[in-house]
Amino acid sequence: MDFFISKEQMMLKNEIIDFAKNHLNDNKYIETFSMEMWKEISDLGLLGVTVSEQYGGLEESYLTAALMFEGLGYACKNNGFIFVINNHIWVGQNLIYLYGSEELKEKYLEKMVAGQKIGAIAITEAEAGSDAMSMATHAEDKGDHYVLNGTKMFISNGPIADIFIVFAVTSEGTFKRYTAFVVEKEFEGFQVCEDIKKMGLGACPTSEIVLDNCIVPKENVLGRFNMGANIMTAALEWERCYEFAPHVGVMQRIMEKCLEHVNNRKQFNRLIGENQSISHKIADMQMSIELSRLMLYKIAWLKDQGKSAFMESSIFKTYVSENYIKTCRDALQIFGAYGYTKDYEIERELRDALACSIYSGTNEMQKNTIYNMIRSRVV
């Protein structure tokens, strides 16, 4: 296993850091999506980081992508906006790139890479959250098209997306089978509901979507018919790695902010960093960052080798989310009453972090996955 980081890779990471610091930290957009910022990140080329040059991408490795998204999390304070980018790339555009027919790639990829079209994924339903396989949305074959009916809930990017990867039941025999469809917001019978107000990640609009006799052309089946479960599994693997890569950078940023504070703040005539109860919190932060980073690079290396990283991504997602939340809570404690105020932004960091133990599959579900995969290797 080789995680060697080249000068070129570090240069790209540093370019992202410099760009984000200068272009993606306008506080007026901290709680709302900015099309202006979207255009800036699109023009930079980041959206096509691993997509081939044929479709306008940068054709970089997955390890390079991991470094760049870690850098993005470090430099961009707008966690919700980063969430929009990740949803667009890894579970929207990326699925078309990996599983789409040439016709679908030609139709959608260049526009998505250029940021002209925004992507989203629609799996979750009101009564089928962690139990995705119990979804009720279904599709009927009508000859030259399919008709989809159902409702999807908590769809990140929903109010701003143009292209949705929608999963629906297509066979209800002994075992349910599912198919993935590429659905445009303009398709007849497709409705996007209002933005759902959330505790954090305000710059990532989230909504319910309704499919009411939604007409989808036959050519918009993604991958093979009745094989949507495989694509769904792959989507979750990508999501659990790359949507959590920026959190490693965020933890680094918060730790550095805490370090600066404890080396300047005095109580009882001594720097508060001299107290073990404080210094140990920062040591814990650094341990979390180092171990998270190693796991991230391992998963990226596996993907560059064309290997599965399903269990590894579940471990990474669980470990990062729990320690990301802990880092924010410890930062709040270190800053005390100041941390609870809006000015220091620690309270916002904590609000943004809390959802990460829920999205992409709850941590409890991740531990079930990890246990079952270990058990299957032993039994």
Side-chain angles (χ1 to χ4, degrees):
M1 191 182 302
D2 182 7
F3 303 155
F4 175 73
I5 309 299
S6 69
K7 289 182 179 179
E8 291 78 12
Q9 287 172 316
M10 285 306 301
M11 183 177 70
L12 285 170
K13 180 181 180 180
N14 289 330
E15 282 181 11
I16 289 293
I17 290 172
D18 290 342
F19 177 86
K21 284 181 177 179
N22 293 318
H23 297 275
L24 302 181
N25 284 322
D26 190 332
N27 279 336
K28 71 181 178 182
Y29 295 127
I30 206 72
E31 294 293 348
T32 184
F33 175 74
S34 165
M35 189 55 75
E36 179 185 328
M37 283 166 52
W38 180 257
K39 187 177 186 309
E40 296 222 45
I41 203 75
S42 301
D43 291 344
L44 183 68
L46 180 66
L47 301 182
V49 58
T50 59
V51 174
S52 69
E53 293 178 0
Q54 177 184 352
Y55 303 106
L58 301 178
E59 209 165 333
E60 295 290 349
S61 70
Y62 291 118
L63 179 56
T64 302
L67 288 162
M68 293 173 77
F69 275 86
E70 181 189 346
L72 184 65
Y74 175 75
C76 175
K77 297 183 293 183
N78 194 325
N79 302 311
F81 184 70
I82 295 175
F83 205 65
V84 169
I85 296 170
N86 274 316
N87 275 284
H88 168 80
I89 294 176
W90 301 109
V91 290
Q93 171 186 288
N94 191 47
L95 297 185
I96 296 174
Y97 180 56
L98 294 176
Y99 300 102
S101 64
E102 272 308 313
E103 185 177 1
L104 286 176
K105 291 178 186 179
E106 291 291 339
K107 187 175 183 181
Y108 296 115
L109 271 183
E110 284 192 34
K111 291 179 180 178
M112 295 181 82
V113 167
Q116 296 167 10
K117 300 288 185 181
I118 298 176
I121 191 169
I123 299 175
T124 302
E125 298 182 3
E127 299 301 323
S130 296
D131 185 12
M133 295 304 182
S134 70
M135 71 175 65
T137 299
H138 62 278
E140 292 183 65
D141 190 338
K142 295 293 184 180
D144 64 344
H145 65 273
Y146 291 97
V147 173
L148 274 60
N149 280 283
T151 304
K152 300 291 184 178
M153 193 65 172
F154 302 122
I155 306 306
S156 299
N157 294 8
I160 57 171
D162 305 285
I163 299 164
F164 296 77
I165 310 300
V166 178
F167 290 84
V169 178
T170 45
S171 175
E172 298 203 62
T174 306
F175 298 101
K176 276 188 179 180
R177 293 187 181 274
Y178 311 84
T179 300
F181 298 89
V182 181
V183 181
E184 298 179 32
K185 71 175 181 180
E186 303 299 337
F187 282 178
E188 182 182 338
F190 188 86
Q191 178 189 351
V192 178
C193 300
E194 293 183 3
D195 187 8
I196 298 169
K197 301 306 178 187
K198 309 182 297 296
M199 174 187 281
L201 301 173
C204 178
T206 305
S207 70
E208 180 181 20
I209 65 169
V210 176
L211 302 124
D212 183 9
N213 291 319
C214 179
I215 297 174
V216 180
K218 275 283 178 74
E219 58 268 24
N220 277 44
V221 168
L222 184 63
R224 291 164 55 196
F225 184 75
N226 271 347
M227 297 299 288
N230 293 346
I231 296 176
M232 194 188 311
T233 298
L236 292 171
E237 182 181 316
W238 290 108
E239 187 175 57
R240 288 165 188 165
C241 175
Y242 284 96
E243 288 202 354
F244 288 78
H247 299 343
V248 182
V250 178
M251 287 194 289
Q252 179 79 36
R253 169 162 49 83
I254 292 171
M255 186 273 289
E256 291 177 5
K257 189 171 185 175
C258 288
L259 191 61
E260 180 183 9
H261 180 70
V262 302
N263 285 330
N264 287 283
R265 172 77 167 161
K266 284 187 175 182
Q267 293 282 273
F268 304 104
N269 295 317
R270 62 187 295 189
L271 293 171
I272 64 172
E274 294 175 11
N275 298 308
Q276 275 193 346
S277 61
I278 299 296
S279 62
H280 284 188
K281 281 181 170 56
I282 293 177
D284 285 342
M285 291 178 188
Q286 184 62 29
M287 288 190 290
S288 299
I289 293 163
E290 288 294 331
L291 293 173
S292 298
R293 187 176 284 137
L294 282 172
M295 198 71 197
L296 171 62
Y297 296 173
K298 177 184 177 181
I299 295 169
W301 176 83
L302 286 169
K303 301 314 292 181
D304 279 327
Q305 306 304 308
K307 298 179 179 179
S308 171
F310 194 73
M311 183 172 75
E312 289 83 357
S313 65
S314 287
I315 294 171
F316 176 68
K317 187 270 182 191
T318 305
Y319 183 80
V320 171
S321 59
E322 290 180 356
N323 284 281
Y324 177 26
I325 293 169
K326 182 178 184 299
T327 293
C328 291
R329 292 184 64 184
D330 284 350
L332 189 67
Q333 204 69 22
I334 287 170
F335 276 82
Y338 290 105
Y340 199 65
T341 65
K342 297 282 187 181
D343 291 344
Y344 281 72
E345 298 188 318
I346 301 297
E347 57 82 30
R348 180 183 57 79
E349 295 282 9
L350 178 57
R351 286 190 288 108
D352 287 346
L354 286 172
C356 71
S357 65
I358 299 170
Y359 56 71
S360 302
T362 65
N363 285 3
E364 290 78 9
M365 291 300 296
Q366 302 311 312
K367 290 175 182 179
N368 287 346
T369 295
I370 295 162
Y371 170 74
N372 288 332
M373 293 191 75
I374 295 169
R375 184 171 177 270
S376 68
R377 294 176 181 180
V378 174
V379 174

